[in-house]
Amino acid sequence: MIDYRLDEEYEDLRATVRDFATSEVAPVIGEFYEREEFPYEIVRRMGEMGLFGLPFPEAYGGMGGDYFALCLTLEELARVDSSVAITLEAGVSLGAMPLYRFGTEEQKQRWLPELCAGRALGAFGLTEPGGGSDASATRTTATLDGGEWVINGSKSFITNSGTDITSIITATAVTGQKPDGRKEISAIIVPSGTPGLTVQPKYSKVGWNASDTHGLTFDDCRVPEENLLGERGRGYAQFLSILDEGRVAIAALSVGLAQGCVDECLRYVAEREAFGHKIGEYQAIQFKIADMEMRTHTARLAYYQAAAKMLRGERFKKEAAIAKLAASNAAMDNARDATQIFGGYGFMNEYPVGRFYRDAKILEVGEGTSEVQRMLIARELGVTN
C-alpha cells in the first residue's frame, strides 16, 4: 500500500518550524533583506532548536534525525524566506555533511558539535571563477610541504564563507595527477582565519540578500596534512555524492518558495478588489493559482520520492535531478505568476512575492543548473555515457 501521510514525528517538526517561520522570521526578514544583512539572531535561534543538527547522530551533538527531516524544515522556512533556508541548507548539506560522511573520527569530534549546534557554520569550496558547472575543471592546487598542505587558487559564490561564525571551509584542490593523466582532486579542511585565506568582499546579488556569499582566495595557505578530508584523490567523487543529496534539499527549498507564492496569492485575492469584485472571483486568476498549486504539489512528490530512495540506501541520482529540475521550475514559474497576480504591488519589496521573485532564479542555477540536471537524467536513462 502506498501512503504519503507523514509520521507524527515529521508532522510535529513541520508544525514547529512553520510556527517559527511565521512568528519569528516573517516579521523581520524583509528588513534584513533590504539591508543585505546576515540574520545572526535568527540563525542562533535555529541552532537552539536543533535545526543544524537534524540529520546527524547525537554523539556529535546532532538530533538523531534524517535527511528528510532537514528537507521538511527547508520547505517550511522557504515558504517565508529563502535566505534563511539556504543558510541552513548550505550549513548542513554542504558545510557539515562532507565532514560527517568522509571525515576521520578526530575531525568529526573537533568540528561537528559546534556545526550541529549552529554556533558555527561550514562552507563548501567547490566552484571556481572559470569552472562554473564544470566542477572537474579545478585549478586550485594543494602541495605537501613539510607535513602541511600549501593551497593556492580561488573559489567563487561560496555560501556561509564569510560570516562571523564561519569555522571551516572544505575546499577541493588538485593534489597531483592520476596514472591516466587526469587531475587528482582532493578535499582539504581550511579553518577560518588561516593565514593565506582571504575572504573577498560580499557579492552584490539579485536575490538571497540576507544570506552570506563570498569569493575566496588561497595564497600559500598552509594547513596540517591531517586536514585532508576523506581519501586523497577522491575529493571530486566525494563532492559529487554530496551534491546528489544537496539537490534533494534544494528541491525541498524550491517547493517551499513555490508554496509561499500560493499562500501569498490566496491571501491577496481574498482581499483585493477590481471592477467591483474580489479578484479571486475572476477565472483568469483562479486558473493561475490552480496551476501554481499543481506545480507545487507535483514537485513536492518528486522530492519526497528522491528522499525516500536516499533513506533506503538505493541509487537516487536520477530522482534527485528530476526533483531539483521540477521544483526549481515550479518556484520560478510560481514566482512569476504571483508577481503578475499582485500587479504593481508584486514589484514592490514590501510584499514577500517581490522577494520570492528575486530569490527564485538562482534555484535554476545553484547546485547544478537545469541543463546539468537534464544531462544527469539522460545519462541515467542510458541516452548518453
Side-chain angles (χ1 to χ4, degrees):
M1 179 177 129
I2 298 175
D3 190 346
Y4 288 96
R5 290 175 298 180
L6 298 180
D7 293 344
E8 183 178 354
E9 186 177 351
Y10 288 136
E11 286 291 5
D12 288 345
L13 173 65
R14 181 197 288 278
T16 298
V17 177
R18 180 62 176 159
D19 179 68
F20 168 73
T22 54
S23 64
E24 298 190 43
V25 178
V28 300
I29 196 60
E31 297 176 9
F32 284 98
Y33 197 93
E34 288 309 303
R35 295 195 303 263
E36 299 185 2
E37 179 182 339
F38 189 76
Y40 286 101
E41 180 61 22
I42 291 174
V43 171
R44 185 188 66 79
R45 282 284 296 117
M46 290 196 296
E48 291 175 347
M49 293 169 66
L51 302 187
F52 285 94
L54 275 172
F56 301 111
E58 295 178 8
Y60 301 115
M63 298 294 287
D66 56 33
Y67 208 90
F68 185 59
L70 171 66
C71 290
L72 290 175
T73 298
L74 293 171
E75 180 183 342
E76 290 303 321
L77 290 173
R79 285 177 73 168
V80 167
D81 179 71
S82 291
S83 292
V84 169
I86 195 59
T87 298
L88 177 64
E89 191 277 335
V92 175
S93 73
L94 301 182
M97 192 59 74
L99 194 64
Y100 173 63
R101 295 279 190 228
F102 310 113
T104 64
E105 188 61 27
E106 182 181 353
Q107 289 170 343
K108 294 176 187 178
Q109 293 289 352
R110 179 178 177 183
W111 283 300
L112 269 182
E114 289 295 291
L115 296 174
C116 288
R119 292 189 291 268
L121 291 173
F124 176 91
L126 177 65
T127 304
E128 299 197 355
S133 296
D134 185 6
S136 65
T138 301
R139 294 185 177 179
T140 297
T141 62
T143 57
L144 279 175
D145 178 47
E148 293 181 317
W149 291 106
V150 183
I151 308 171
N152 285 281
S154 59
K155 301 291 180 178
S156 298
F157 316 131
I158 310 303
T159 305
N160 293 343
S161 59
T163 74
D164 294 343
I165 57 174
T166 300
S167 64
I168 60 168
I169 296 159
T170 303
T172 52
V174 178
T175 53
Q177 189 177 64
K178 294 185 176 181
D180 61 4
R182 291 183 301 162
K183 296 175 181 177
E184 176 192 86
I185 298 177
S186 305
I188 300 171
I189 301 168
V190 182
S192 295
T194 300
L197 168 63
T198 301
V199 178
Q200 300 297 331
K202 68 180 182 180
Y203 290 102
S204 175
K205 298 177 292 187
V206 172
W208 285 358
N209 284 349
S211 74
D212 177 84
T213 317
H214 298 263
L216 302 171
T217 302
F218 301 92
D219 185 9
D220 286 338
C221 179
R222 288 178 171 265
V223 298
E225 183 176 356
E226 56 266 29
N227 280 26
L228 177 72
L229 181 65
E231 296 179 41
R232 178 169 177 170
R234 293 285 298 167
Y236 182 56
Q238 290 169 187
F239 276 87
L240 287 181
S241 68
I242 289 295
L243 286 175
D244 284 338
E245 296 180 355
R247 283 166 185 147
V248 183
I250 291 295
L253 190 157
S254 300
V255 168
L257 189 152
Q259 185 64 62
C261 290
V262 175
D263 297 343
E264 292 298 324
C265 286
L266 289 175
R267 281 192 285 270
Y268 186 70
V269 302
E271 301 169 355
R272 178 79 162 90
E273 290 189 4
F275 306 103
H277 296 274
K278 295 286 195 300
I279 64 172
E281 297 177 24
Y282 295 107
Q283 194 174 67
I285 300 295
Q286 295 169 8
F287 281 10
K288 275 191 184 298
I289 294 177
D291 284 344
M292 292 166 66
E293 178 68 10
M294 175 271 296
R295 296 182 197 118
T296 306
H297 178 76
T298 53
R300 180 178 291 113
L301 293 179
Y303 98 70
Y304 274 24
Q305 185 196 25
K309 293 195 74 172
M310 175 172 50
L311 294 183
R312 290 196 299 266
E314 300 173 8
R315 185 176 176 84
F316 66 99
K317 183 179 288 288
K318 181 183 73 173
E319 287 75 15
I322 290 172
K324 203 271 184 181
L325 179 61
S328 60
N329 284 347
M332 191 70 241
D333 290 344
N334 279 17
R336 183 184 60 247
D337 282 353
T339 303
Q340 192 71 18
I341 288 171
F342 270 69
Y345 291 112
F347 201 62
M348 301 296 119
N349 285 325
E350 65 185 283
Y351 287 89
V353 294
R355 192 167 71 244
F356 292 164
Y357 190 77
R358 293 166 66 178
D359 290 339
K361 182 57 193 174
I362 189 60
L363 298 171
E364 296 182 315
V365 177
E367 295 206 32
T369 64
S370 295
E371 291 75 18
V372 166
Q373 306 314 312
R374 292 183 173 95
M375 288 167 53
L376 292 171
I377 295 166
R379 187 177 300 157
E380 289 296 300
L381 290 172
V383 177
T384 182
N385 293 329

